[in-house]
């Protein structure tokens, strides 16, 4: 199988505030062609370092892409480093000089001497024209495949890749297609998912499977298959996805990267039902998650942030007896919060969270991480609640609470008959 | 000069949708110590590839950090690869096994066999404890310096770096004292801050100053000075910080990395006053920000998420006339929401947000990004409101709204006499 490597050039990409985002575009485009990216390297503007890394990459991997370092300044060293790496001469290209002069004339700009370094071509390389900038790219054959020099500015890179690189790659590649499916799971940890799923995914090497803990309480299984046609690749991922879903049950909440909040919204919208939330320790995170995607107003009415006990009592109708006898963090309070908010806001469903996010406030019977989720469907049975114990710091406990509250609502929606 | 390299491990980081963001944190922290990062490499979960790259890096660079691949699954290969790279034996650590069993017992969870691979330590390496996860890190001396294995989840990585790695690094670095001061600003963009601040910070090279856009509406100025003593370094940063603060005025909300929500909480606590919030387009994000830090119950009572107009009317008392004449996204509605929530919850202060986060819902007079913030102090003047227009996508508009609402409250608190 053809493979690729990406080398991003630029000292600014080694600072604390910028990432090499160009590689995401390249990776996506290459994946569509069935070419996986097997390594990314980010390097400073230093010729010796660049030359050594380009030489290593070209020995190791058939397709090597560099991004950046094609500009007119002294920091732009990719072309000279590539020449050194491959032991190739650099030639000034008279046609390129004329083109560049014309470009500057047309824009009524003065060309500085530095710009001439942009007309130096690796021996035997092909120019890759740049319709939106002065830095041309280069396609240079290597013993194992090709070294492709691309500019750093995303607009220039995208256009050059799509117009110049893609056609050349398609000529070279066997006609393979890739399909990826992502199973999203809630409530099982990574090792538990692995021990359940491994017996199934280990029997096949295509699709390849990887497991990823993406957030507290959330794990993803990525299945990537290749085949001669897109349909063939899809059939392979779908088959394994079905087997895994059967094994993992309702823990799988999405097969196409939808968030848990989106899934819940989808179920509510289908049923034309509405939702209100009551939050204590999460302080608004549940509402924030539900309204992350546009269109939530179809089903989300709003809620009450009942951080203080007085708000639980006055705005949600949690009884003084309940608060006194069981405490604000209790199954009974969670149930009364859910019932109260759905009644007051006139929603079909109510979800409540009350817990101890820490670091202070824990006790022997209710340690930090103890969280109760209350759920009610006004057309159904009385409110019920579920007790959780989450680990981690305050942030993690709050995020876990939101995820599991959404999941409890999802399970209740799935279990409740549509009216 | 000491230098560092970062190797991010994980096939998922070579896909089209995820970047190695951990390296930004590490780069920032290392920069503060005067240690530049000279290369970043992103590698798949393949032992031979990892081992070769770790070996190269340790030959090349004194400090090598790996992130990820310390989990309990078969894909987690960093430790075995490191052993291979450095030619070290791996030993199961009995104390680590006991610790892990205890961890699982405390969480009432079953430990799977896989987890035992997390107790394998490189010969002579030191464990780096992980208080928020099962994957311990390792610090292993190398001929040129050290190889440091860190976990991939950001929460675990940050904590382990700050608590375990930083003290070890400080021991190793030459005893130049370094002091960093961070000025946090709200409401000015990066280039505006630069044009105001540059005339001051360009006059000196020590402290070095860098500008960082950390979030929508938020910019940080990092001043890093070195001197022979900590006191000397501190005097240098403090002097420049004073000059900058005089120039930048109330846009500077913190000089020691406190969040805007913490600053607001601090002001409220000082005054023994309470706060309630009313949120429409932000759906709970403001409440979530206010409750991110423990102890918010000293001043934060709660709030109402008034996503639907009926909730604005029934739960907050926004008048039907206001909603009909001016619309739900208007100065009048924002004022009535703030007044309503403070009255209903009995809070001294009320803050409200109503706006159009998009992508749909905009109009010619109120385009997407139009947001009104309402503020009221029940002991003071009637509610007032401020109109904003934010750019960016839904997420960015919502985050901007929260930041500017917190800032309006901060400015109102600063302007209002203490009772």
């Amino acid at each position: 199988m053809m493979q690729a490597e990406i080398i991003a050039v630029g000292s600014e990409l080694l600072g604390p505030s910028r990432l090499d985002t160009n590689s995401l575009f390249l990776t996506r485009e290459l994946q569509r062609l069935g070419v996986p990216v097997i390594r990314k390297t980010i390097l400073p503007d230093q010729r010796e370092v660049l030359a050594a890394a380009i030489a290593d990459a070209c020995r190791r991997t058939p397709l090597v892409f560099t991004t950046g370092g094609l500009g007119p300044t002294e920091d732009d060293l990719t072309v000279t480093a590539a020449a050194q790496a491959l032991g190739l001469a650099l030639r000034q290209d008279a046609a390129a000089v004329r083109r560049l002069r014309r470009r500057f004339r047309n824009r009524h700009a003065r060309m500085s001497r530095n710009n001439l370094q942009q007309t130096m071509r690796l021996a035997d390389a092909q120019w890759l024209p740049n319709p939106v900038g002065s830095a041309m790219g280069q396609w240079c054959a290597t013993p194992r495949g090709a070294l492709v020099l691309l500019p750093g500015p995303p607009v220039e890179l995208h256009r050059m890749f799509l117009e110049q690189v893609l056609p050349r790659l398609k000529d070279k590649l066997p006609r393979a297609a890739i399909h990826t499916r992502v199973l999203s799971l809630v409530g099982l940890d990574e090792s538990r998912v692995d021990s359940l799923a491994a017996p199934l995914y280990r029997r096949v090497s295509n699709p390849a499977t990887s497991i990823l803990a993406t957030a507290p309480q959330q794990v993803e299984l990525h299945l990537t298959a290749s085949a001669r046609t897109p349909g063939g690749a899809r059939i392979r991922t779908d088959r394994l996805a079905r087997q895994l879903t059967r094994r993992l049950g309702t823990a799988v909440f999405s097969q196409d990267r939808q968030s848990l909040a989106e899934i819940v919204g989808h179920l509510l919208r289908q049923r034309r039902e509405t939702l209100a939330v009551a939050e204590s320790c999460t302080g608004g995170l549940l509402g924030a998650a539900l309204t992350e995607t546009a269109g939530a107003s179809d089903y989300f009415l709003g809620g009450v942030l009942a951080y203080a006990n007085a708000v639980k009592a006055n705005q949600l109708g949690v009884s003084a007896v309940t608060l006194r006898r069981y405490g604000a963090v209790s199954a009974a309070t969670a149930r009364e919060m859910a019932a109260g908010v759905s009644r007051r806001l006139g929603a079909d469903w109510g979800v409540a969270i009350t817990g101890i996010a820490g670091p202070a406030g824990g006790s022997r019977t209710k340690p930090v991480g103890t969280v109760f989720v209350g759920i009610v469907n006004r057309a159904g049975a009385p409110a019920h609640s579920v007790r959780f114990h989450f680990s981690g710091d305050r942030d993690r406990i709050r995020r876990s609470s939101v995820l599991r509250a959404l999941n409890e609502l999802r399970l209740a929606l799935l279990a409740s008959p549509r009216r």
Side-chain angles (χ1 to χ4, degrees), chain A residues 57-345:
Chain A
C58 290
R59 263 194 299 275
R60 195 164 46 207
T61 310
L63 275 175
V64 177
F65 294 89
T66 68
T67 60
L70 301 184
T73 77
E74 291 195 358
D75 280 349
D76 290 300
L77 299 162
T78 305
V79 176
T80 48
Q84 185 177 333
L86 301 178
L88 293 175
L90 270 183
R91 306 225 172 82
Q92 184 155 67
D93 182 324
V97 174
R98 282 194 301 275
R99 210 157 38 217
L100 203 59
R101 286 199 196 283
R102 198 162 52 232
R103 183 182 151 81
F104 275 88
R105 215 167 36 236
N106 289 344
R107 301 166 69 206
H108 306 286
R110 242 199 25 229
M111 192 170 104
S112 66
R113 276 188 81 83
N114 300 344
N115 282 98
L116 284 176
Q117 86 182 38
Q118 296 184 298
T119 63
M120 303 299 286
R121 183 164 53 94
L122 296 167
D124 305 326
Q126 295 169 15
W127 284 121
L128 304 175
N130 182 345
V132 285
S134 66
M136 283 193 289
Q138 303 193 35
W139 173 289
C140 183
T142 58
R144 296 204 52 181
L147 169 66
V148 185
L149 312 183
L150 297 171
V155 185
E156 303 179 24
L157 172 93
H158 293 186
R159 187 129 172 218
M160 191 181 291
F161 186 91
L162 297 173
E163 292 177 4
Q164 300 293 327
V165 179
L166 209 51
R168 285 177 170 83
L169 282 176
K170 281 186 169 158
D171 275 356
K172 293 214 173 312
L173 290 172
R175 302 219 154 265
I178 282 204
H179 188 253
T180 298
R181 189 170 278 292
V182 176
L183 303 188
S184 306
L185 290 93
V186 59
L188 299 177
D189 70 13
E190 205 179 348
S191 59
R192 180 84 186 120
V193 171
D194 195 27
S195 67
L196 287 167
L200 292 168
Y201 73 68
R202 265 202 218 121
R203 291 196 301 227
V204 289
S205 63
N206 182 14
T209 301
S210 64
I211 300 187
L212 205 62
T214 51
Q217 302 291 322
Q218 224 173 303
V219 171
E220 288 180 0
L221 279 164
H222 289 231
L223 323 178
T224 304
S226 64
R228 266 180 313 162
T229 63
R234 182 170 205 127
I235 286 171
R236 282 174 179 273
T237 59
D238 286 359
R239 190 187 304 140
L240 182 57
R242 267 197 309 278
Q243 295 169 348
L244 287 167
T245 307
R246 219 174 296 142
R247 180 102 173 92
L248 296 161
T250 54
V252 179
F253 66 82
S254 164
Q255 299 201 25
D256 54 2
R257 297 174 192 260
Q258 284 189 291
S259 73
L260 198 43
E262 285 175 294
I263 296 290
V264 163
H266 181 67
L267 292 170
L268 286 166
R269 193 181 276 125
Q270 270 186 339
R271 302 163 64 110
R272 301 171 188 275
E273 291 178 343
T274 57
L275 169 66
V277 301
E279 305 187 51
S280 182
C281 64
T282 48
L285 275 182
L286 176 58
L290 283 160
T291 55
E292 217 164 69
T293 40
S297 52
D298 291 352
Y299 46 85
F300 182 66
L301 299 184
V304 171
L305 310 182
Y307 211 63
N309 282 352
V311 180
K312 294 185 183 76
N314 301 335
Q315 305 300 314
L316 294 171
V318 177
S319 83
V321 175
T322 299
L323 287 171
R324 198 175 54 241
R325 188 172 300 164
Y326 304 105
V329 176
S330 65
T333 297
R335 287 194 299 264
E336 291 184 33
M337 286 171 69
V341 80
S342 65
R343 192 175 57 243
R344 300 241 168 162
L345 270 63

Side-chain angles (χ1 to χ4, degrees), chain A residues 1-3 29-36 173 176-178 226:
Chain A
M1 185 160 58
M2 185 74 101
Q3 296 180 319
E29 291 298 324
L30 289 166
Q31 228 178 44
R32 282 202 190 123
L33 299 171
V35 178
L173 290 172
I178 282 204
S226 64

